Amino acid sequence: MQTKRLFLQSVLALGSFASATAAFAATPIKFQLDWRFEGPAALFLQPVAKGYFQAAGLNVTVDAGSGSGGAIQRVASGSYDMGFADLAALMEFHANNPEVKDKPVAVMMVYNNTPASVMALKKSAIAKPADLTGKKLGAPVFDAGRRGFPLFAKANKVGDVQWTTMDPPLRETMLVRGDIDAITGFTFTSLLNLEARGVKAADVTVMPFADNGVKLYGNAIIASAKLVRENPEAVRSFLKAFSKGAKEVMANPGSAIAYVKERDGIVNSALETRRLQLAIDTVINTADARGEGFGQVSPTRMALMASQISDVYATKTRVNPETLWNGRFLPPVADLDVFPKK
């Protein structure tokens, strides 16, 4: 009896040691979001909560962000290993910092289309892009839609407009008050913010860049040059585990919001579920994304975007898409089959 007890104790001790060793061996990955813990953050929080990253040998921590520029800076500085950021912002960083040797690179496209759009209240009689000529538009100075607006204006023959700058929380408020005629912003952010201010979605004219001649890519997963160089397998494992989680999130957005709620207890679950579904429908599970494949990019489209960003952002050097995109860590095609079947 004593021998059997000693044997069981030894087995349990070995099991505990193995578990502790596995946890100790997991590669730590600090991940920086582009924004707060809102609906789309579920794409990253669910695979953490369900242990997909841990099973892949990674100890991933996800932190809220304050914008794509900040996410890129933190990954570039080494304070974060990976992040989520607008590709246009990454292009600008590359082209404006030629002296920086180790710059972050994009390793997986998530928002195949930019979420940027122009929004106006229907009562303003702005029904199409050309109606914006001579109007007063508002957005924070760093807003992706505002910065890319010259492309939108050129594609739609929009004449001169007047810009008003404000902090992000005031954008939708100023539109509702009539201080400005239209705003630029992410569709799944500003549209829901307008609803929170008493405006019905049916009373808003939404003009997405992607539907009006501007085919910019949106947010991508980025990785530090150090991580890519020293631990490429960690990048590969991260993307595979992320893809597994993304497939589940798109199949059942409602349940995925629970993981966002865990990180920020004051979020409105119903609202964030709508935000997540809107993001899926408008920038993730799109015709362009299905055509190119989840996580992937078209070299031709990428080259065009690089040229456009170089011109519109007036960068110090021309954007070189070959230095900022690295698709060799993407999972096999079978693992990238994440879109819900129609």
Side-chain angles (χ1 to χ4, degrees):
M1 180 64 72
Q2 185 176 2
T3 302
K4 184 177 181 180
R5 186 182 301 109
L6 289 173
F7 174 75
L8 289 174
Q9 289 174 342
S10 299
V11 169
L12 290 173
L14 287 172
S16 299
F17 176 77
S19 298
T21 301
F24 179 79
T27 301
I29 299 290
K30 289 188 64 181
F31 189 90
Q32 175 69 74
L33 289 174
D34 64 324
W35 200 237
R36 299 184 289 261
F37 289 124
E38 294 182 339
L43 292 163
F44 300 96
L45 297 178
Q46 176 154 316
V48 171
K50 299 190 78 169
Y52 298 156
F53 290 127
Q54 194 72 41
L58 306 175
N59 181 19
V60 177
T61 55
V62 178
D63 291 333
S66 56
S68 289
I72 293 167
Q73 290 282 356
R74 289 168 194 139
V75 174
S77 71
S79 57
Y80 282 82
D81 305 291
M82 302 182 75
F84 192 48
D86 179 47
L87 188 65
L90 181 65
M91 287 183 170
E92 182 182 26
F93 181 85
H94 269 248
N96 281 345
N97 296 278
E99 73 285 354
V100 176
K101 182 180 178 181
D102 285 345
K103 292 186 276 286
V105 295
V107 292
M108 173 179 270
M109 187 56 58
V110 181
Y111 292 173
N112 187 277
N113 298 105
T114 175
S117 65
V118 181
M119 282 156 276
L121 302 184
K122 289 185 177 178
K123 66 181 181 181
S124 68
I126 296 175
K128 58 185 184 301
D131 296 334
L132 295 167
T133 300
K135 300 297 185 181
K136 187 184 296 184
L137 273 66
V141 69
F142 56 81
D143 177 72
R146 176 173 176 173
R147 304 205 66 196
F149 185 79
L151 295 173
F152 181 92
K154 182 178 180 180
N156 297 282
K157 297 185 169 73
V158 179
D160 292 339
V161 301
Q162 179 184 345
W163 283 98
T164 297
T165 300
M166 76 287 291
D167 290 331
L170 292 176
R171 172 172 28 199
E172 294 79 18
T173 299
M174 291 182 69
L175 180 62
V176 173
R177 285 195 320 220
D179 298 331
I180 49 181
D181 301 307
I183 60 174
T184 57
F186 281 9
T187 307
F188 53 75
T189 298
S190 289
L191 186 60
L192 296 185
N193 287 348
L194 285 169
E195 287 191 28
R197 287 156 178 78
V199 179
K200 296 180 180 178
D203 294 330
V204 182
T205 295
V206 181
M207 295 171 276
F209 277 36
D211 295 342
N212 288 277
V214 184
K215 290 292 187 179
L216 299 178
Y217 285 109
N219 283 34
I221 294 175
I222 63 175
S224 71
K226 183 176 186 292
L227 184 66
V228 168
R229 182 174 59 249
E230 298 180 1
N231 199 344
E233 192 55 41
V235 180
R236 192 170 287 110
S237 297
F238 183 99
L239 298 185
K240 185 172 182 177
F242 169 79
S243 298
K244 181 179 180 180
K247 182 174 185 175
E248 293 182 353
V249 170
M250 283 190 274
N252 192 350
S255 65
I257 293 300
Y259 303 110
V260 180
K261 186 79 170 177
E262 286 179 2
R263 294 301 303 269
D264 186 348
I266 67 172
V267 301
N268 182 313
S269 296
L271 179 67
E272 295 311 323
T273 298
R274 290 184 58 212
R275 193 188 310 277
L276 174 57
Q277 187 64 64
L278 193 56
I280 292 170
D281 294 340
T282 59
V283 299
I284 302 176
N285 185 14
T286 65
D288 291 324
R290 292 191 296 273
E292 295 175 5
F294 179 72
Q296 304 174 65
V297 299
S298 159
T300 302
R301 185 178 162 196
M302 177 73 85
L304 175 60
M305 179 177 174
S307 178
Q308 291 174 323
I309 295 300
S310 299
D311 293 338
V312 172
Y313 285 30
T315 54
K316 291 180 181 178
T317 63
R318 302 294 293 180
V319 177
N320 181 359
E322 295 181 4
T323 64
L324 60 86
W325 169 257
N326 190 337
R328 67 188 177 92
F329 304 111
L330 289 171
V333 174
D335 293 319
L336 293 174
D337 182 18
V338 301
F339 295 129
K341 304 304 179 186
K342 290 197 171 182

